[in-house]
Amino acid sequence: MSNSGYSISSNVTSPRSTRCSSPSTPSGILSPVGPGGSDSQLQWEERQGQWLRRRRLDGAINRVPMGFYQKVWKILQKCHGLSIDGYVLPSSTTREMTEGEIKFAVHVESVLNHVPQPEYRQLLVEAVMVLTLVADMDVDNIGGIILIDRIVHMANDLFLQDQRTHGANEYFLEKDPATGICHFFYDSAPSGSYGTMTYLSKAVVTYLQDFLPQSTCLMQ
């Protein structure tokens, strides 16, 4: 594959609908409205938790995109392992199991199952999906142990920066105390200019910039 003009974000496809996240305006920027008199968290859950609820459901039933485990196997061949919530999936696994082996899928699943919050688990799955796009690039090595949690938090920080730049009220940018992820990042659609996959793509490029072709890094 040619390195010229290659962009990870341009190759991201969402496994879900491309509808905008409900807490966002059509442009994808949060409306700077302050909290009301009633329980703000309950109001947010009831009115605007569409994608958050979907991620919680998907995480609770261990749902992953089609071909997920095979893609994880391929990316493990280009690094020393994937760290997910402190648990490492080593690259040596690919020498012990084939990419289509049920045993491998179960092993990956066991690592993901260490994540207690289902919505956070799903963001980790999305981050891995973006990372696996690197497996299709002409890059032989992308480093040592890749910290998937760090990529998710980098994406979350980029999201917060954009929202603050556009004047979003800090009330809307409240973070989940358990994970440090903004509630509205959890509740953002995967696709779109302000979707989670866009920020995860930028985070992956930044995280792996020393290993990716220079033209790819410039595209972020």
Side-chain angles (χ1 to χ4, degrees):
M1 177 182 295
S2 171
N3 294 337
S4 177
Y6 189 92
S7 169
I8 287 182
S9 59
S10 66
N11 285 268
V12 172
T13 56
S14 167
R16 294 293 187 179
S17 165
T18 57
R19 288 179 296 174
C20 291
S21 174
S22 54
S24 303
T25 64
S27 65
I29 300 299
L30 302 181
S31 176
V33 179
S38 60
D39 188 329
S40 59
Q41 180 67 19
L42 180 60
Q43 284 185 339
W44 174 75
E45 287 279 356
E46 290 179 345
R47 296 198 317 262
Q48 301 174 321
Q50 171 186 337
W51 281 98
L52 171 63
R53 288 191 293 269
R54 182 167 292 183
R55 285 190 172 95
R56 281 180 176 168
L57 175 61
D58 288 349
I61 63 177
N62 300 332
R63 180 178 290 160
V64 295
M66 186 176 296
F68 175 76
Y69 300 111
Q70 291 85 350
K71 291 176 180 178
V72 170
W73 192 90
K74 289 180 180 178
I75 203 66
L76 284 175
Q77 292 188 308
K78 297 193 174 187
C79 64
H80 293 167
L82 302 178
S83 174
I84 297 175
D85 201 37
Y87 293 86
V88 175
L89 184 65
S91 59
S92 59
T93 309
T94 62
R95 296 191 294 271
E96 302 166 0
M97 310 171 197
T98 63
E99 61 182 302
E101 195 172 342
I102 294 296
K103 185 179 178 181
F104 177 73
V106 171
H107 188 58
V108 175
E109 195 67 48
S110 69
V111 174
L112 288 170
N113 284 342
H114 287 295
V115 182
Q117 300 87 1
E119 61 270 34
Y120 184 59
R121 169 200 159 104
Q122 286 310 105
L123 279 186
L124 292 170
V125 168
E126 290 179 34
V128 172
M129 284 300 293
V130 175
L131 183 64
T132 58
L133 294 174
V134 178
D136 297 326
M137 297 177 62
D138 188 18
V139 179
D140 295 327
N141 175 41
I142 55 173
I145 302 294
I146 297 176
L147 307 178
I148 304 301
D149 296 80
R150 182 175 296 177
I151 290 173
V152 169
H153 280 271
M154 288 170 64
N156 181 67
D157 290 344
L158 291 170
F159 174 81
L160 290 173
Q161 288 173 18
D162 274 358
Q163 299 298 337
R164 290 189 175 110
T165 297
H166 289 84
N169 191 299
E170 286 298 317
Y171 159 71
F172 283 96
L173 304 182
E174 182 181 359
K175 296 180 180 180
D176 175 10
T179 62
I181 300 298
C182 175
H183 288 298
F184 279 97
F185 191 56
Y186 278 136
D187 198 29
S188 295
S191 301
S193 300
Y194 296 93
T196 55
M197 298 296 264
T198 295
Y199 291 101
L200 288 168
S201 297
K202 293 178 180 179
V204 165
V205 170
T206 301
Y207 187 93
L208 299 177
Q209 60 185 346
D210 292 337
F211 299 94
L212 297 178
Q214 185 176 6
S215 59
T216 305
C217 298
L218 293 175
M219 288 297 290
Q220 68 173 312

